[in-house]
Amino acid sequence: RHLAPRLGSGYPWWYVLEYPKAGGTWLSRMVADYLRLPFPQHSRLPTMFSCVIHGHWKHTPGLNNVFYLARDGRDTMVSLYFMRMKAVERQKFSSDARHKRTYESLFGVGFDPADIQTNLPKFIEHEMNNPRDCRVSWPNHVETWWRPDDPGIACLKYEELLSDPIETLARCFEKFTDQPADRDELAITVDRFSFQKMTGRKPGSEDKSSFLRKGIAGDWVNHFSPDAVDVFKQYAGASLIKLGYEASSDWESRLT
């Protein structure tokens, strides 16, 4: 994160950057597969070779070959909630105990992790004010990174990857090269890393214990209450509209 802006295009790194739970690991695997590059994960030392680097960095000027992946912030909050509650119930790692203390303080000792409709409004507010994984909130992250006119950044959305992965990836690769993307090779890559092949489940078939929980877009309508909508609007409604996820702030009618 500190070396990359200084080395710029002089070092052969490719970057997949996102706010957590936007689908960055999935995208990183596809980028690395298509480019025939390694995808080292959780490295604590600089990777001094050409590879795909995945991160949640706040906006970092001076980078090239960046895939910035955005996702509807409401789905992001839902996905984050399930990931954190899995840690609360798992209690295997030191970070799990920290999450348990945090959410017991927020919701009360003995709270029900499965009661997402009750807990989500406070969870969203806490996440906006105390972002843990990338030091800035979802609206700050997406608004500072979403720069489609920057020649070093290819902006794409999780929802585009779901609906038209080959053309979405081709558009991004073609921004960084002077030649057309190989769509036949992209089709192989997309198939190799499809949700069904990675999980053995069809998209929409939920496994709350899995890092790849559901693999769909728009699941927020099944979990947001009117209170959760109000909290999200307060902190990030303008950003949601700015990125084109909503045309207005009238979202309650879509709740199930």
Side-chain angles (χ1 to χ4, degrees), residues 93-179:
F93 307 108
S94 59
S95 59
D96 296 347
R98 185 174 67 248
H99 284 311
K100 184 176 182 180
R101 289 192 299 271
T102 295
Y103 295 117
E104 283 185 338
S105 175
L106 191 64
F107 305 132
V109 176
F111 77 95
D112 181 5
D115 190 1
I116 183 171
Q117 289 227 337
T118 297
N119 299 333
L120 195 57
K122 284 186 178 180
F123 178 87
I124 295 171
E125 183 173 30
H126 184 267
E127 191 65 30
M128 294 295 178
N129 290 311
N130 304 276
R132 300 191 61 88
D133 296 306
C134 59
R135 315 266 176 166
V136 296
S137 65
W138 179 83
N140 182 297
H141 203 273
V142 296
E143 288 208 32
T144 53
W145 270 113
W146 194 259
R147 298 166 182 253
D149 295 330
D150 188 318
I153 303 174
C155 294
L156 67 159
K157 295 179 179 178
Y158 173 79
E159 295 78 11
E160 295 175 306
L161 274 183
L162 288 178
S163 63
D164 194 357
I166 295 172
E167 287 305 315
T168 299
L169 290 170
R171 168 176 62 80
C172 293
F173 282 116
E174 288 169 357
K175 182 167 185 174
F176 300 131
T177 64
D178 296 325
Q179 55 187 2

